[in-house]
Amino acid sequence: MPIVSCPIPGCDYATPDLDASIVAALLTTHSTIHASAGTGSAAKIEKVKRPTIVAAGTSEDWAYFTSRWSDYVEATKISGKDKVVQLLECCDEPLRKDLTRSSGVSLTTKSEAEVLAAIKRLAVREENTMVARVALHNMRQDRDETVRSFGARLRGQAGICKFNIKCPGCSMDVNYTDEILRDALTRGIADPEIQLDLLGDKNQTMDLEDVFQFIEAKEAGKRSASSLLDSHVVNSASSSYRKTKQMHLKEGQDLCNYCGKKGHGRGAPARVRKTQCDAYGHKCRHCDRFHHMENVCRSRTNLNVSLR
C-alpha cells in the first residue's frame, strides 16, 4: 500500500508502506494526538454569585454590599436595564415588597443610582454617630483573635463613625480614620505586656500599619518563646523522671536493714515491708523484738563487740 500522509494541515506525519489495516490503525492512533491538542481542558470558572441585601442593616453592611455589587457588575459586564433588574434581584422578598410599595411604580425604569438610593433608605437603619464612636473605643481583642482580624472589626465599626472633617484652609474633606483606628487598636490589645511595650516604644509617631507590624512581631516572639519554654518543661520532667527511676532502682539493689535481702530498699516503710519483707512479723531470737531477722540484729552485733 502506498504511503499515506496525515490530513491535518501543517502535520508532516506519514505512514510507512504497510498493509492497509495497519495503516488505518496508525492513522487512527495519530489522530488522537491532534484531538487532545485541540481540546485542551481549561479550568472551569465558577459563576459569579450575586450579592444580597436585607432590610434593617447597618452602614457597615451597606458598604459591604455596594463593594460586592461593584465587583459583580465588573465581572458580569451587565449594563442598562439588565443592571437595574439584577440590582433589584439582590433584595430579599420583604425588602423588594417594601420597595414596590414605597415607589408605587416599577423601579426597572429608574437608573441604577436612583434604585440604590431607594434601597439604602429601606435597608439601612438610622444610626447615632456618637454611639457608634463610643462602641468603637470599647472594642477589645478576643483571646484567640489575631491582631489583623481585630483590626478588620475595628475598621468595619469605624466605617459608620464618619471620621471626616472639613479643612478650614481649603474646605476639602479630611479623613482621619486611620489615626483613630491606631489609638483604638492600641487600647484594645488583649495582651497587656505587648500594650506596655507599644506605649513605651520611643517611636510615638507610628502609623496604623507600623502598629500592626509591631504587635505582630511581639505576638510571634511570645509564641516562639512559649514553644521553647514548653520543650524545656518537657525535657525537665523527663530528666526528673529518669532521676527518680534511677534512685528507685538503686534503692531496690540495697540490702534491707530488716531482712538483709535485696528488692525493696534499705529502709522501706512498714506498708512496703508488710507485703515484701520476710522479717515483718518475725520475732528475733536474740533480742525478742519483732520485725527483723537474727542475721541483722543490732543487739547481737553489740553483744559481739562487747565480748571482744
Side-chain angles (χ1 to χ4, degrees), residues 147-203:
V147 66
R148 292 286 179 176
S149 297
F150 177 49
R153 286 201 296 121
L154 288 174
R155 188 171 289 281
Q157 180 67 21
I160 62 177
C161 294
K162 301 176 183 177
F163 291 119
N164 296 284
I165 192 172
K166 283 192 176 294
C167 175
C170 61
S171 298
M172 290 184 63
D173 285 336
V174 178
N175 188 310
Y176 57 99
T177 303
D178 282 0
E179 285 73 16
I180 299 297
L181 285 177
R182 179 193 59 194
D183 297 343
L185 179 63
T186 303
R187 177 183 173 85
I189 300 174
D191 194 317
E193 294 182 3
I194 297 179
Q195 186 182 55
L196 289 176
D197 289 341
L198 179 59
L199 293 174
D201 191 80
K202 64 179 181 180
N203 183 11

Side-chain angles (χ1 to χ4, degrees), residues 97-115:
K97 284 184 179 180
D98 291 342
L99 281 172
T100 304
R101 291 166 183 167
S102 61
S103 63
V105 294
S106 176
L107 291 174
T108 55
T109 58
K110 304 290 185 180
S111 66
E112 179 191 11
E114 290 174 323
V115 175

Side-chain angles (χ1 to χ4, degrees), residues 23-232:
V23 170
L26 290 174
L27 286 174
T28 302
T29 304
H30 175 73
S31 64
T32 59
I33 299 176
H34 293 291
S36 61
T39 59
S41 57
K44 184 179 179 181
I45 300 176
E46 187 175 353
K47 186 178 179 181
V48 180
K49 294 181 180 179
R50 185 174 54 210
T52 57
I53 185 71
V54 298
T58 64
S59 297
E60 182 182 356
D61 297 332
W62 177 253
Y64 178 68
F65 168 74
T66 54
S67 174
R68 288 285 313 278
W69 170 249
S70 298
D71 295 340
Y72 178 77
V73 171
E74 179 67 23
T76 57
K77 307 298 181 183
I78 56 175
S79 61
K81 188 175 181 179
D82 290 337
K83 184 188 293 188
V84 175
V85 172
Q86 291 298 319
L87 178 57
L88 290 171
E89 289 298 323
C90 294
C91 306
D92 68 343
E93 194 60 26
L95 179 57
R96 183 68 180 271
K97 284 184 179 180
D98 291 342
L99 281 172
T100 304
R101 291 166 183 167
S102 61
S103 63
V105 294
S106 176
L107 291 174
T108 55
T109 58
K110 304 290 185 180
S111 66
E112 179 191 11
E114 290 174 323
V115 175
L116 279 172
I119 295 175
K120 184 178 181 180
R121 284 193 294 270
L122 295 175
V124 181
R125 62 175 180 263
E126 193 67 25
E127 296 168 329
N128 187 308
T129 303
M130 187 57 65
V131 172
R133 292 181 178 181
V134 172
L136 172 68
H137 287 285
N138 287 335
M139 292 174 67
R140 296 292 182 271
Q141 182 184 13
D142 295 334
R143 181 180 298 275
D144 297 325
E145 185 180 26
T146 65
V147 66
R148 292 286 179 176
S149 297
F150 177 49
R153 286 201 296 121
L154 288 174
R155 188 171 289 281
Q157 180 67 21
I160 62 177
C161 294
K162 301 176 183 177
F163 291 119
N164 296 284
I165 192 172
K166 283 192 176 294
C167 175
C170 61
S171 298
M172 290 184 63
D173 285 336
V174 178
N175 188 310
Y176 57 99
T177 303
D178 282 0
E179 285 73 16
I180 299 297
L181 285 177
R182 179 193 59 194
D183 297 343
L185 179 63
T186 303
R187 177 183 173 85
I189 300 174
D191 194 317
E193 294 182 3
I194 297 179
Q195 186 182 55
L196 289 176
D197 289 341
L198 179 59
L199 293 174
D201 191 80
K202 64 179 181 180
N203 183 11
Q204 294 294 299
T205 59
M206 287 187 284
D207 58 20
L208 180 59
E209 182 58 29
D210 290 337
V211 173
F212 272 122
Q213 294 179 6
F214 182 94
I215 297 173
E216 285 178 326
K218 291 291 184 178
E219 287 181 342
K222 295 194 73 170
R223 284 194 301 270
S224 300
S226 177
S227 301
L228 185 62
L229 181 61
D230 290 343
S231 65
H232 284 327

